[in-house]
Amino acid sequence: MKNSGLAEKAFWSLLSQISSRGSLMLSAIILTRSLDPHAFASYSYFQLTVSMLSAYAAMGLGVTSSRYFSEVGHERSGQELFPLGVLWGLSILFALAAFIFLILMPGRWLSAGLLIPQWLLALGVLALTLEIVPGGAILGLEKYKQASLISVFSGGLMILGACVASRNATPSIAMGSIVLAAFLQGVGETFIVIRAVGWRRIATRAHSIGSSIGRVLVFAGPMLLVSLMAASGSWLLGRLILLTPGGAHAFAMYSIGLQWFAFVLVLPGMVSRVLLPRVVRNANASVEEQRALIWQGIRMAGTTALVVALIGLILAPEIMKIYGAQYDGGRWFLGGYLLAAVLIAPANTIGNAIVASNGQKQWLGLTAVWLGVLISVGVIMLLLGGVPGSMALAGAAVVQTTLAFYIARSRNLI
């Protein structure tokens, strides 16, 4: 398979992610202008917590769906069909279980003293978890162009919700718009996937539940732990920051920095997502062709992250002013998060190549090391009287990227 088309696929995937990530950033800017730091921290904590808990509830099925939906229409002769229907059914079951659990659990366990409606948090986790498999399938099937239109619409809905929340000084309205947008995103992506694959292909082997579940979990098991650790890192770091003297204000600053950290990674993320199905489908190609494809992705991820970060660093003083005087951390506050993003940019691209070559257990071990470094640096910063944040992210990024290169080379991928 030729490497041409990687940039085109990345473009449509980029449009989808910019709509999603950009709408969250614009919503934050709108809300910081009208909400006090405690109310804005509640909104940011809701967003971060819902993302973490939905990753827990997804049980690693997102990457699993990308991995196996990418084989649809490209099966080799005699290859046994993967039980896609069982995969999807498990995702729905996990989403409902998470919703019920969050409704019944004591609200104070997750609220951290912030004003977050428990029922809305549960609905948010339900919505994001239901979107996991169709979202992963979109990546595997490379239906980026169709999905981008849905992302534009749902992103606009989040911005509208932020405007209404700002006018009424009520962060729960903005939280609700995130939930509604996630539900609509999932419905739209489900329609695209079913139209592309068909009910018959999805339902294949759905009758042999026991063996099908076992086959799903063989791959999803390590990816579950990877997802849990990756999602927990930012949340745990945020909880450490809430323990600092700055409290809600320090967490609000952290959420702003984290948004720009994620924004720098939008383009590299598109490359890594596009690369995964390409590597799977290119499994029978020569070692040289596989290496060329992966190196192309690494170069694209690193270059795009560096360019976006440099532009962000130049504009940092003006960017921080947009959030208001109480959040003006200056050029180097934002610069720390931009640097951390550049350092970790190639890691996810290499990681997807490792996972695509059935190296999920090695990626699991690497992610565990990353989480350990992230929290260790955060605790050290806290004990020294500093505010954990960009330094913890940067330290963990250096370790993860270095080890990712080492593992990929040991597996003869680069």
Side-chain angles (χ1 to χ4, degrees):
M1 182 180 293
K2 295 182 180 179
N3 295 348
S4 60
L6 185 62
E8 180 184 355
K9 297 292 185 181
F11 168 77
W12 289 111
S13 185
L14 169 65
L15 178 60
S16 178
Q17 287 299 307
I18 282 184
S19 300
S20 176
R21 179 58 55 186
S23 61
L24 287 172
M25 294 183 69
L26 285 176
S27 296
I29 291 172
I30 292 169
L31 293 171
T32 56
R33 311 292 294 189
S34 60
L35 301 180
D36 60 70
H38 192 274
F40 178 67
S42 297
Y43 164 80
S44 300
Y45 186 79
F46 170 85
Q47 180 185 322
L48 197 60
T49 303
V50 164
S51 296
M52 180 197 68
L53 293 177
S54 62
Y56 274 53
M59 302 289 282
L61 298 182
V63 176
T64 306
S65 60
S66 295
R67 168 68 175 80
Y68 287 105
F69 269 94
S70 66
E71 293 181 347
V72 174
H74 300 268
E75 295 92 350
R76 294 183 292 276
S77 178
Q79 179 180 355
E80 185 181 9
L81 299 179
F82 191 82
L84 300 177
V86 174
L87 173 68
W88 210 325
L90 282 174
S91 175
I92 295 172
L93 181 63
F94 293 154
L96 293 174
F99 174 77
I100 294 172
F101 176 76
L102 290 172
I103 285 292
L104 296 178
M105 74 177 295
R108 64 181 182 277
W109 287 7
L110 287 173
S111 65
L114 299 172
L115 300 176
I116 300 176
Q118 185 171 350
W119 64 271
L120 195 55
L121 184 68
L123 274 180
V125 172
L126 175 67
L128 266 68
T129 306
L130 289 175
E131 193 267 339
I132 290 292
V133 166
I138 289 291
L139 298 178
L141 296 168
E142 298 187 286
K143 297 296 182 181
Y144 308 114
K145 186 175 182 178
Q146 298 90 326
S148 65
L149 299 177
I150 301 172
S151 295
V152 169
F153 180 78
S154 59
L157 183 61
M158 280 192 283
I159 294 173
L160 177 62
C163 290
V164 176
S166 176
R167 182 174 299 177
N168 292 274
T170 307
S172 59
I173 297 176
M175 298 175 193
S177 69
I178 293 177
V179 176
L180 181 57
F183 272 120
L184 294 178
Q185 184 85 16
V187 170
E189 290 174 344
T190 297
F191 176 78
I192 293 172
V193 173
I194 292 175
R195 186 174 181 182
V197 178
W199 275 114
R200 182 174 298 178
R201 175 64 181 84
I202 293 174
T204 298
R205 289 195 64 204
H207 58 282
S208 53
I209 300 296
S211 61
S212 296
I213 291 177
R215 191 175 175 194
V216 169
L217 295 181
V218 164
F219 184 91
M223 298 315 299
L224 160 64
L225 298 177
V226 167
S227 298
L228 297 188
M229 288 186 286
S232 299
S234 298
W235 187 84
L236 290 171
L237 196 57
R239 289 299 295 253
L240 286 176
I241 291 173
L242 282 170
L243 296 175
T244 63
H249 182 269
F251 181 83
M253 292 292 292
Y254 166 68
S255 69
I256 292 172
L258 202 60
Q259 285 175 351
W260 284 95
F261 171 83
F263 184 74
V264 173
L265 293 176
V266 166
L267 280 167
M270 297 314 94
V271 175
S272 67
R273 286 176 175 86
V274 171
L275 186 70
L276 177 60
R278 290 299 181 92
V279 172
V280 172
R281 295 172 186 171
N282 219 24
N284 294 327
S286 67
V287 173
E288 290 72 19
E289 288 178 321
Q290 281 279 51
R291 285 177 175 176
L293 177 61
I294 295 170
W295 271 115
Q296 182 188 12
I298 293 172
R299 286 193 296 269
M300 290 176 64
T303 302
T304 53
L306 182 60
V307 170
V308 174
L310 287 174
I311 294 173
L313 184 61
I314 294 171
L315 300 177
E318 301 305 317
I319 291 174
M320 295 307 298
K321 288 179 182 177
I322 295 175
Y323 291 95
Q326 59 184 335
Y327 299 109
D328 189 0
R331 183 192 304 274
W332 298 113
F333 164 79
L334 194 60
Y337 287 92
L338 299 176
L339 173 62
V342 172
L343 292 173
I344 206 171
N348 284 333
T349 298
I350 303 171
N352 273 358
I354 293 171
V355 169
S357 64
N358 295 317
Q360 56 266 29
K361 290 184 179 178
Q362 286 180 298
W363 188 243
L364 168 61
L366 191 156
T367 304
V369 174
W370 166 83
L371 180 62
V373 173
L374 181 75
I375 300 305
S376 296
V377 175
V379 170
I380 291 171
M381 289 290 295
L382 185 65
L383 293 175
L384 293 177
V387 177
S390 59
M391 186 170 292
L393 289 169
V398 170
V399 172
Q400 186 175 40
T401 300
T402 302
L403 292 179
F405 270 105
Y406 174 79
I407 292 173
R409 186 168 293 278
S410 70
R411 295 183 67 86
N412 209 24
L413 294 174
I414 58 176

